[in-house]
Amino acid sequence: MNKPDNHILTIFGASGDLTKRKLVPEIYELKKQNLLPDKFAILGIGRKELSDEAFRNKMYNAILEFNNIDNKENVKEFVKNFYFQTIDTKSADDYAKVKSRIEGLVAEYSIDENVIFYLSTPPSLYGIIPEYLGKHNLANEDKGWKRIIVEKPFGYDLQSAIELNKSIKQSFHEDQIYRIDHYLGKETVQNLLVTRFSNGIFEPLWNRNFVQHIEITSAESLGVENRGGYYDSSGAVRDMIQNHLLQIVALVAMEPPSSIESNSIRNEMLKVFHSLRPIENIKEQVIRGQYVSSKIKGEAVQGYREEEGVDPNSKTETYAAVKFYIDNWRWGGIPFYVRHGKRLPTKVTEVVVHFKPTPHSIFKSQSLGEACNRLVIRIQPDEGILLKFGMKVPGQGFSVQNVNMDFHYKDLSNVHLASAYERLLHDCMVGDSTLYARGDAVEAAWEFIDPILKNWKDDNSIPLFGYPAGTWGPENADDLIEGAHLTWRYPCKNLSDDGSYCEL
Ligand code: BG6
């Protein structure tokens, strides 16, 4: 794999949780995989008064806690390349300190002035930091490349996303901006591209002539944990559907790109967003729910409104299911269903392609649901692919039974499965933006989502259904699925385990 150019990774919000739990441990993983450049330094930036030495100790402990460490000496050696600069992020003048620190490191390491700026701060700073970097000439690429990574959420609605894009683009051009959507960094999400475009057998069937509907489920068993304050002003649609799940929709529905090059893929994804039919009837096409207290495996679990940081009268949705259409030649008239919820029975994300039944059923024992072949692409956990099809039950007559053909990633032993952050950080280091969201795509996704949020806010008659924590969400969501006898697939942890009983 490509080794990146020598560079400095500057992390804004370096004393925060993301840096400690994810970024630095994943960067160390890149080190273990020999994917870091020969000369590489991390400059942490934050409001805290922290010496280089204190930052190194903190990150040393973080790596030991969140990575599998074989050799502590190597970690000690690695963190010698860590530095910290205290600034008031809201003060334009303070960015002079960042500039002089970068210039000092560039001289000390004798490298080009290649710099990544990673914004791991509260979203309210996503506009300010690029502006002040620009003011201090730190987006300028005369002496080396400059890239900026922006964490999610990218905007709160369409208008704020447009403004944020505009504001960042005053200092950085689109090719320098890397908007993280960590779902795109997941191996199995990328495999959607490979499954579709490296096989001759799926693509001819991947359209309105053979597909009955497509279902995408992202379930989480946890509640909002300690993020009640953030979540209450966000909700399931903003937190998961606008970004992660719509990106998956785009990869499932897009046309074949002409090459594996970034803009080629991102152009096709954008076309999907532009083809999303605006939702005509929010009440009928979108179901929202909120978990209420219940017992899971005999243990009492509190409801969403009782969670810390959550308004006791909150109307924020912790579950949403959406039915929509993609108006283009490939998908005209085919419904797509996307659902996400917290405090559901298990943690699972998967795409299910339901194929149309045979035009005439000669085997009477087959029910309509069983007559449909299904391809299940499991994003997580038990990553893999499952194809369901009818087989003859051995013996007299022609009884048909649905059977499974499955592939599990875990069967590929000795393969290092890179985590999402590891993959995405490395991609940015080598200048590959394919798996980052482009500005126009983010705006197009908001354009689709905005009317849902506006309607919910303005129309009090739209119900918010309660569902007991630990169940599959409001029952009304079952009625979304078009067609008699059809309902969602209720998946288990194990990909091929989809009988009526399973370990949750
Ligand atoms: C984050 C959301 O972006 O994704 C969280 O803010 C959610 O609420 C998380 O739990 C899910 O990510 P993953 O990788 O655990 O499926």
Side-chain angles (χ1 to χ4, degrees):
M1 227 200 267
N2 268 353
K3 262 213 175 191
D5 299 333
N6 295 330
H7 69 275
I8 296 164
L9 173 60
T10 304
I11 304 176
F12 284 85
S15 45
D17 227 36
L18 185 73
T19 307
K20 179 176 115 182
R21 286 174 181 277
K22 284 263 177 234
L23 303 183
V24 166
E26 298 299 352
I27 292 165
Y28 189 70
E29 191 57 39
L30 289 175
K31 168 85 185 156
K32 284 187 351 198
Q33 305 295 326
N34 198 21
L35 289 172
L36 287 183
D38 299 334
K39 293 183 183 180
F40 172 74
I42 290 189
L43 174 60
I45 312 257
R47 298 170 77 93
K48 271 211 172 126
E49 290 289 342
L50 216 57
S51 66
D52 289 347
E53 211 39 54
F55 184 52
R56 284 174 192 148
N57 282 337
K58 212 173 146 166
M59 294 302 114
Y60 171 79
N61 291 327
I63 295 173
L64 293 198
E65 188 177 348
F66 297 107
N67 193 312
N68 279 332
I69 296 307
D70 38 5
N71 185 329
K72 290 186 182 177
E73 280 314 304
N74 288 349
V75 183
K76 241 183 208 141
E77 205 46 44
F78 180 63
V79 297
K80 283 186 183 156
N81 299 303
F82 283 44
Y83 305 85
F84 194 85
Q85 179 62 53
T86 307
I87 67 165
D88 172 2
T89 341
K90 290 185 182 152
S91 146
D93 293 345
D94 263 20
Y95 286 68
K97 296 180 193 159
V98 179
K99 188 175 167 70
S100 84
R101 208 65 203 272
I102 288 175
E103 285 169 352
L105 288 171
V106 162
E108 189 181 328
Y109 281 73
S110 38
I111 59 176
D112 289 339
E113 201 184 277
N114 298 325
V115 187
I116 295 177
F117 300 103
Y118 195 116
L119 307 195
S120 166
T121 61
S124 56
L125 295 172
Y126 291 172
I128 296 175
I129 297 173
E131 183 191 335
Y132 293 164
L133 289 173
K135 274 199 175 133
H136 287 269
N137 222 8
L138 280 166
N140 182 304
E141 298 198 286
D142 288 349
K143 294 190 206 148
W145 50 253
K146 305 287 181 303
R147 297 173 191 147
I148 186 161
I149 303 183
V150 189
E151 260 297 331
K152 81 166 261 263
F154 198 90
Y156 183 74
D157 54 15
L158 175 60
Q159 194 48 38
S160 56
I162 292 174
E163 278 161 21
L164 184 54
N165 267 332
K166 222 176 176 176
S167 142
I168 301 178
K169 283 184 186 172
Q170 278 172 1
S171 311
F172 292 84
H173 54 77
E174 179 63 40
D175 291 348
Q176 294 176 285
I177 308 170
Y178 290 70
R179 297 170 194 78
I180 278 230
D181 186 307
H182 80 277
Y183 265 57
L184 290 176
K186 289 183 191 274
E187 196 63 48
T188 41
V189 172
Q190 294 151 38
N191 189 45
L192 283 167
L193 283 175
V194 178
T195 303
R196 288 193 54 197
F197 304 127
S198 75
N199 293 298
I201 56 168
F202 297 122
E203 208 42 32
L205 306 180
W206 212 264
N207 57 53
R208 67 183 185 286
N209 297 320
F210 299 97
V211 171
Q212 187 176 58
H213 67 272
I214 291 186
E215 170 189 341
I216 297 175
T217 289
S218 150
E220 291 187 61
S221 47
L222 293 179
V224 292
E225 304 297 288
N226 53 1
R227 297 161 75 224
Y230 148 78
Y231 196 87
D232 209 31
S233 61
S234 172
V237 167
R238 280 193 180 91
D239 188 47
M240 289 291 294
I241 297 185
Q242 185 275 337
N243 36 67
H244 307 323
L245 300 187
L246 282 186
Q247 295 290 341
I248 294 182
V249 168
L251 290 169
V252 170
M254 69 194 264
E255 294 302 312
S258 57
S259 74
I260 192 76
E261 187 264 327
S262 173
N263 271 333
S264 183
I265 292 177
R266 301 202 299 177
N267 288 344
E268 296 305 335
M269 292 173 79
L270 177 66
K271 280 190 213 160
V272 174
F273 295 137
H274 282 161
S275 311
L276 291 170
R277 186 192 302 171
I279 293 189
E280 291 138 356
N281 188 334
I282 308 266
K283 241 185 218 171
E284 281 180 12
Q285 285 177 248
V286 191
I287 304 292
R288 59 174 169 167
Q290 191 185 75
Y291 61 85
V292 298
S293 59
S294 107
K295 278 194 167 171
I296 300 179
K297 290 184 185 159
E299 278 197 22
V301 174
Q302 61 185 1
Y304 175 69
R305 292 181 185 179
E306 286 100 62
E307 302 271 17
E308 202 188 317
V310 171
D311 174 356
N313 298 313
S314 172
K315 288 197 79 179
T316 300
E317 81 289 357
T318 58
Y319 174 98
V322 192
K323 171 184 178 180
F324 60 92
Y325 296 89
I326 297 177
D327 281 340
N328 61 19
W329 276 50
R330 184 185 285 266
W331 297 116
I334 302 301
F336 279 68
Y337 302 94
V338 171
R339 64 176 168 167
H340 164 71
K342 297 229 182 255
R343 280 274 186 241
L344 301 190
T346 188
K347 179 168 170 74
V348 62
T349 306
E350 64 177 27
V351 177
V352 188
V353 182
H354 295 253
F355 291 95
K356 289 186 172 163
T358 53
H360 172 59
S361 170
I362 55 172
F363 304 111
K364 301 292 176 230
S365 65
Q366 239 178 335
S367 73
L368 182 63
E370 282 180 340
C372 301
N373 294 115
R374 269 167 286 165
L375 180 70
V376 182
I377 303 176
R378 177 58 75 87
I379 308 293
Q380 62 188 21
D382 193 11
E383 292 80 357
I385 291 191
L386 171 71
L387 180 65
K388 300 181 80 67
F389 58 99
M391 279 279 286
K392 182 180 177 303
V393 178
Q396 296 294 311
F398 284 97
S399 293
V400 182
Q401 190 190 331
N402 243 324
V403 293
N404 291 338
M405 200 156 80
D406 50 359
F407 157 75
H408 302 253
Y409 267 80
K410 62 175 183 285
D411 296 340
L412 297 175
S413 55
N414 298 330
V415 175
H416 170 70
L417 276 190
S419 78
Y421 273 92
E422 184 188 336
R423 166 74 199 241
L424 292 174
L425 280 162
H426 185 259
D427 278 3
C428 177
M429 290 177 182
V430 295
D432 182 353
S433 56
T434 313
L435 300 176
Y436 284 85
R438 206 168 61 187
D440 47 9
V442 173
E443 287 178 18
W446 272 120
E447 207 168 321
F448 176 66
I449 292 297
D450 236 26
I452 303 178
L453 301 172
K454 281 212 173 85
N455 267 269
W456 281 353
K457 194 163 159 246
D458 299 343
D459 184 351
N460 272 330
S461 73
I462 301 180
L464 168 71
F465 299 102
Y467 61 95
T471 65
W472 277 105
E475 281 175 9
N476 313 53
D478 287 348
D479 303 335
L480 268 184
I481 311 263
E482 237 172 71
H485 315 297
L486 294 181
T487 185
W488 302 90
R489 182 175 123 92
Y490 289 99
C492 301
K493 243 196 274 180
N494 181 317
L495 169 62
S496 24
D497 210 0
D498 55 359
S500 352
Y501 299 98
C502 59
E503 191 207 339
L504 294 175

